[in-house]
Amino acid sequence: MNGNRVAVVGLGLLGRGIAACFLARGFEVVAVDTSEARLRESIAAIDQSMAELTERGGLNPERRASWREHYHPTVNYSHLRGCSFVVESIAENLQAKQAVLSQIEEVTADSRTVVASNTSAIPITLLQQPCAHPQRIIGMHWAEPAHATRFIEIIRGDRTGDEAVETAIAIAKRLGKDPSLVQKDAPGFIVNRIAYAMYREAMQILEEGIADVETIDRSLRNTLGLWASVCGPFRWMDLTGGPELYARAMAPVMSSLSSSNQLPPPIACLAEEGAKGIANGRGFYTYTTEEKSYWEQLYREQAWKVTQQQQENFPLETPHE
Ligand SMILES: NC(=O)c1ccc[n+]([C@@H]2O[C@H](COP(=O)([O-])OP(=O)(O)OC[C@H]3O[C@@H](n4cnc5c(N)ncnc54)[C@H](O)[C@@H]3O)[C@@H](O)[C@H]2O)c1
């Protein structure tokens, strides 16, 4: 088995970007798809990604010029033999993914090849069910455009082995990503679970006639779009009133969001203890005076940067002076 030889199975929108990431970091990449046309199309798409990575991501021009020598497109699964790491990235369908994982396993049966599924929301434990070597199966959820984004969720299925987890994290880091380890398998993992809840509420607001599609989109762009590249939800609450304020604001809305009208325990407990986020140094995180200033300043800078960008993209008639 060659540690530098990896594979991508399914060269669609995501698979092409994933292949580009591996090529940019010096891997030999076997690319398997059932469609010859998709494989042909992947070459132009990867070339475009490599050009972007050279212009914006500091990719060595020599690697950009020679990537095609290291890319091996094929419809033949037997070419997976000898690959140390395989990313499955076919369309989101449990049965189809299970069948492909079994095919990959057959070819790589005698090795320690780790097989990662790029699924958006299917629990890895379900994907592992028919597998002969479930300890080698892991979730690896990428974000589009895969060659440009830092995001990767590494998901441990119930039967995933520690070695597979360590390998997947090491590969993600070698690809210049910022991996998030999801410790417990659940539909949607972290980001899609949160995102799907948000999309569901957006539909609900639309259905109830509270606002139209464009207004909902614009409102989120003007708020979430401002903070989400420097904060997650916990940091954001800490910066803007902390658990105490959010608990008070959220309590009356809870019954319209879930079957329980109770606040979730993590925020209820902190609110009861008087946690006001950066205002008193206690929130979901704790803050020294220096840390409080750092986060305040960071967010303020970000708010101006994004507001300026929004004015360029979506000019208001009466902008900030
Ligand atoms: N679209 C997104 O933004 C996004 C983001 C993260 C993860 N994902 C997940 O990534 C996965 C791939 O999504 P996509 O949008 O790239 O799909 P896609 O439909 O663009 O590509 C799927 C590819 O798989 C190939 N394929 C189908 N059956 C195959 C088989 N048996 N063996 C080999 N190749 C086969 C198809 O020919 C196609 O080229 C999905 O699970 C999706 O949920 C998507």
Side-chain angles (χ1 to χ4, degrees):
M1 193 164 66
N2 178 348
N4 215 40
R5 191 174 180 87
V6 299
V8 181
V9 178
L11 273 293
L13 183 67
L14 265 288
R16 300 159 180 180
I18 295 169
C21 291
F22 281 117
L23 290 160
R25 299 289 166 151
F27 287 90
E28 287 295 312
V29 179
V30 175
V32 178
D33 201 295
T34 43
S35 157
E36 299 261 13
R38 279 302 182 103
L39 288 171
R40 272 193 307 277
E41 288 161 19
S42 73
I43 293 172
I46 293 172
D47 198 54
Q48 168 70 30
S49 301
M50 298 300 268
E52 284 176 27
L53 282 164
T54 313
E55 280 157 33
R56 295 165 177 246
L59 177 66
N60 178 338
E62 278 169 27
R63 193 163 278 169
R64 189 250 181 282
S66 64
W67 73 266
R68 190 61 191 83
E69 294 160 32
H70 305 282
Y71 183 62
H72 312 286
T74 176
V75 291
N76 190 341
Y77 269 73
S78 71
H79 292 193
L80 296 177
R81 198 161 291 127
C83 290
S84 60
F85 195 81
V86 180
V87 181
E88 168 279 308
S89 188
I90 70 156
E92 189 80 351
N93 174 300
L94 173 64
Q95 284 75 27
K97 280 190 186 282
Q98 283 178 334
V100 163
L101 292 176
S102 298
Q103 262 180 292
I104 297 170
E105 273 202 317
E106 250 171 59
V107 183
T108 58
D110 302 330
S111 68
R112 286 159 62 200
T113 306
V114 172
V115 184
S117 175
N118 175 33
T119 166
S120 296
I122 301 173
I124 306 309
T125 306
L126 286 182
L127 293 173
Q128 285 174 323
Q129 260 168 14
C131 292
H133 305 284
Q135 74 281 3
R136 297 205 257 126
I137 310 288
I138 192 162
M140 197 174 206
H141 177 215
W142 300 62
E144 169 64 12
H147 67 289
T149 48
R150 290 173 153 208
F151 172 83
I152 283 190
E153 273 172 339
I154 308 283
I155 307 111
R156 199 190 261 283
D158 284 358
R159 298 163 74 194
T160 303
D162 289 341
E163 199 179 323
V165 175
E166 282 157 25
T167 303
I169 291 176
I171 292 260
K173 288 188 175 165
R174 182 168 161 194
L175 296 177
K177 305 295 182 188
D178 186 11
S180 308
L181 178 60
V182 182
Q183 293 286 7
K184 199 169 150 186
D185 197 16
F189 320 125
I190 300 172
V191 293
N192 277 342
R193 178 153 174 182
I194 293 175
Y196 295 170
M198 179 172 78
Y199 306 156
R200 183 200 60 206
E201 286 307 320
M203 308 290 167
Q204 190 67 27
I205 290 169
L206 180 67
E207 276 217 299
E208 288 181 24
I210 296 167
D212 62 21
V213 167
E214 190 276 335
T215 306
I216 299 168
D217 269 358
R218 188 160 42 82
S219 305
L220 268 292
R221 193 177 76 209
N222 288 340
T223 50
L224 199 63
L226 215 60
W227 57 261
S229 58
V230 288
C231 301
F234 296 109
R235 182 79 69 192
W236 172 242
M237 287 190 271
D238 275 0
L239 288 185
T240 51
E244 196 187 74
L245 180 141
Y246 275 86
R248 249 183 295 129
M250 282 168 65
V253 189
M254 286 309 296
S255 62
S256 62
L257 291 177
S258 78
S259 51
S260 159
N261 59 5
Q262 298 296 307
L263 282 168
I267 192 168
C269 294
L270 283 167
E272 221 174 279
E273 291 165 13
K276 296 179 196 292
I278 58 165
N280 65 357
R282 289 173 57 217
F284 293 101
Y285 298 87
T286 54
Y287 300 85
T288 61
T289 313
E290 292 75 33
E291 285 165 342
K292 166 181 156 55
S293 308
Y294 169 82
W295 282 105
E296 273 175 337
Q297 184 64 20
L298 184 70
Y299 175 58
R300 190 164 300 204
E301 287 292 328
Q302 179 70 2
W304 278 111
K305 258 189 235 167
V306 176
T307 302
Q308 200 172 4
Q309 198 183 43
Q310 287 180 332
Q311 182 55 23
E312 284 163 23
N313 294 337
F314 314 103
L316 291 180
E317 279 174 26
T318 323
H320 292 293
E321 289 300 321

